[in-house]
Amino acid sequence: MAPDAHALEKTYLAIDLKSFYASVECADRGLDPFATDLVVADPTRSPNTICLAITPALKAKGVRNRCRVREIPQGIPYITAMPRMYRYMEVSAQVYAIYLRYVSSQDAWPYSVDEAFLDVTPYQALYGPNARALAKRIIATVREETGVSATAGIGPNMFLCKVALDLMAKHAADGIGQLDEKTFRRDVWFHHPITDIWGIGPGIARRLARAGVYDLAGICATDPTWLRGEFGRNAEWLIDHAWGLEPCTIADARGYVPMARSLSNGQVLMRDYGFGEARVVLREMAWQSCLDLRQQALACDTVGLYVGYSGQAELFGHGGGQRGLGHQTAGEREVTDALLALYDQTVARNVPIRRVCLWLGGVVPVAIAAPTLFDNPVADAREARLAGAVMRARRRFGPNTVLSGTSLLPAANARERNLQIGGHRA
């Protein structure tokens, strides 16, 4: 396999904001994240709470990123910063606006709150002699205006620039890693563990290991027929990435429309919940998910549920499953009844619960949802009007203005979660 000539002409940057949440907290306090021991975590939660971020200074002391608070060595004094998700989103938007000073919005793709891809192919002559000079200029601007440090990866496609960011930038004096086809095969082909490579998780790594494959070079040496039999369609991108190829462009990423849609809603509970308590939480989540369907003018034809047990109870496996509704609907009563029936039939009664997740599948616009003889259009229209009134009130006065009666029960937590972003303090 060989990339076409046009792909060879491309130059991409992948930029990552270093220890982003912790760096924002340090910047707002006038502190240097490379000299300050700071942890972003909610101190009101238990010691098992996961740290959302730690400063580079703590990482240098051997503290693992995304560790639990109790795992930080007791001999290290540190500052605990309460998560402020709205503030982090605000700074992320500020940084993205800086990127757009250097490239068109059509050549930028925000990958996450702290990472972005830039196609800098047409801009290098304008801003400097090469992509590295442009990357340095962007990084310096971000640091000067936000106080947040950044690293960057450079490559001829989006995969190579991301690998350069993940594997090479952290070891570079200027925080910039760069790969081309030749250096990729020299420096990355035999890299271990293979899970350091973008897109390869523990599950894929275990399946490869069963065939004696432990690195990208091993994938290249493996019979493609076996890979396609083992991974199906996913084998194609696995093979491409092993050779350093990536046909997807930023335009492709920006224009991607999935063939199938679903909505999901999940949470990790802050303590062990009993069967009845977790059922209350599921009912709250179902109500909110149906409001989301109504807000986006969508309908679903399938519901799914996952209930994870706590501690040693994980040995029991998990509860949940999937159930078809028989038609496409956004009806709160029908969706909730189906989810609660799944819960009652599959979840152990006497086992503590720590995780509840639901998803709505077969999602389509209401305008093209196929009607059936068993629909009740009058009841559905009434429910849609009620949902519309709820959403208008919430938009104007806040998410806790109108709640389901379930949310007044002791085990309910929707009122607290409505004030959070991504499950953390806004």
Side-chain angles (χ1 to χ4, degrees), residues 200-400:
I200 299 182
I204 292 176
R206 283 193 296 269
R207 292 162 71 182
L208 289 170
R210 287 199 294 266
V213 177
Y214 301 97
D215 50 35
L216 295 181
I219 294 175
C220 294
T222 300
D223 183 356
T225 303
W226 178 85
L227 290 168
R228 293 184 178 105
E230 178 70 17
F231 296 102
R233 292 182 179 180
N234 289 339
E236 302 307 324
W237 66 258
L238 199 59
I239 294 169
D240 277 355
H241 286 183
W243 288 100
L245 307 178
E246 176 51 76
C248 179
T249 65
I250 284 180
D252 295 330
R254 292 177 63 90
Y256 173 71
V257 178
M259 295 180 63
R261 289 192 61 186
S262 65
L263 294 181
S264 62
N265 186 354
Q267 57 180 287
V268 177
L269 305 172
M270 291 298 102
R271 60 174 176 82
D272 290 350
Y273 271 49
F275 179 88
E277 292 178 311
R279 197 176 191 273
V280 168
V281 171
L282 175 60
R283 184 184 285 274
E284 285 186 301
M285 294 167 61
W287 187 69
Q288 181 59 55
S289 293
C290 289
L291 283 180
D292 293 340
L293 283 177
R294 295 290 188 186
Q295 186 172 20
Q296 300 176 57
L298 301 172
C300 70
D301 65 10
T302 306
V303 299
L305 174 68
Y306 174 91
V307 176
Y309 301 131
S310 173
Q312 294 297 319
E314 292 177 351
L315 298 175
F316 289 91
H318 62 269
Q322 183 172 299
R323 174 169 295 178
L325 299 174
H327 67 123
Q328 293 151 336
T329 180
E332 185 266 333
R333 182 179 298 276
E334 187 171 2
V335 169
T336 300
D337 287 349
L339 285 165
L340 292 177
L342 263 178
Y343 182 89
D344 292 340
Q345 293 165 10
T346 64
V347 176
R349 263 30 179 205
N350 300 313
V351 175
I353 294 168
R354 266 302 176 95
R355 187 185 300 269
V356 180
C357 303
L358 68 84
W359 65 94
L360 309 179
V363 173
V364 298
V366 167
I368 65 171
T372 74
L373 294 174
F374 304 100
D375 291 349
N376 186 337
V378 174
D380 187 67
R382 183 170 59 248
E383 188 174 307
R385 289 195 298 271
L386 177 60
V390 169
M391 289 184 289
R392 288 192 296 273
R394 286 181 152 199
R395 280 195 297 269
R396 184 171 181 181
F397 300 109
N400 281 336

Side-chain angles (χ1 to χ4, degrees), residues 75-324:
I76 301 178
Y78 59 87
I79 299 169
T80 300
M82 177 70 77
R84 298 182 297 156
M85 303 306 294
Y86 184 83
R87 174 59 178 156
Y88 308 146
M89 294 169 64
E90 186 177 59
V91 176
S92 177
Q94 182 183 355
V95 172
Y96 190 66
I98 292 173
Y99 299 155
L100 296 186
R101 295 184 206 166
Y102 292 90
V103 302
S104 163
S105 61
Q106 299 302 309
D107 294 319
W109 183 47
Y111 180 62
S112 68
V113 71
D114 60 351
E115 286 191 45
F117 288 93
L118 307 179
D119 180 354
V120 298
T121 308
Y123 305 98
Q124 296 179 71
L126 177 63
Y127 294 116
N130 52 44
R132 183 175 289 270
L134 176 54
K136 288 182 178 179
R137 187 168 176 177
I138 294 174
I139 288 172
T141 305
V142 170
R143 180 62 185 268
E144 179 181 349
E145 297 189 17
T146 69
V148 176
S149 297
T151 56
I154 304 171
N157 59 51
M158 291 175 68
F159 173 70
L160 286 185
C161 77
K162 183 67 166 73
V163 173
L165 171 68
D166 293 342
L167 300 186
M168 323 301 291
K170 65 180 69 174
H171 303 298
D174 59 0
I176 300 173
Q178 187 163 3
L179 287 172
D180 54 27
E181 282 190 35
K182 182 177 180 181
T183 55
F184 169 73
R185 296 179 186 182
R186 183 191 69 200
D187 300 331
V188 180
W189 245 9
F190 300 96
H191 177 86
H192 292 173
I194 196 172
T195 50
D196 285 346
I197 305 300
W198 186 37
I200 299 182
I204 292 176
R206 283 193 296 269
R207 292 162 71 182
L208 289 170
R210 287 199 294 266
V213 177
Y214 301 97
D215 50 35
L216 295 181
I219 294 175
C220 294
T222 300
D223 183 356
T225 303
W226 178 85
L227 290 168
R228 293 184 178 105
E230 178 70 17
F231 296 102
R233 292 182 179 180
N234 289 339
E236 302 307 324
W237 66 258
L238 199 59
I239 294 169
D240 277 355
H241 286 183
W243 288 100
L245 307 178
E246 176 51 76
C248 179
T249 65
I250 284 180
D252 295 330
R254 292 177 63 90
Y256 173 71
V257 178
M259 295 180 63
R261 289 192 61 186
S262 65
L263 294 181
S264 62
N265 186 354
Q267 57 180 287
V268 177
L269 305 172
M270 291 298 102
R271 60 174 176 82
D272 290 350
Y273 271 49
F275 179 88
E277 292 178 311
R279 197 176 191 273
V280 168
V281 171
L282 175 60
R283 184 184 285 274
E284 285 186 301
M285 294 167 61
W287 187 69
Q288 181 59 55
S289 293
C290 289
L291 283 180
D292 293 340
L293 283 177
R294 295 290 188 186
Q295 186 172 20
Q296 300 176 57
L298 301 172
C300 70
D301 65 10
T302 306
V303 299
L305 174 68
Y306 174 91
V307 176
Y309 301 131
S310 173
Q312 294 297 319
E314 292 177 351
L315 298 175
F316 289 91
H318 62 269
Q322 183 172 299
R323 174 169 295 178

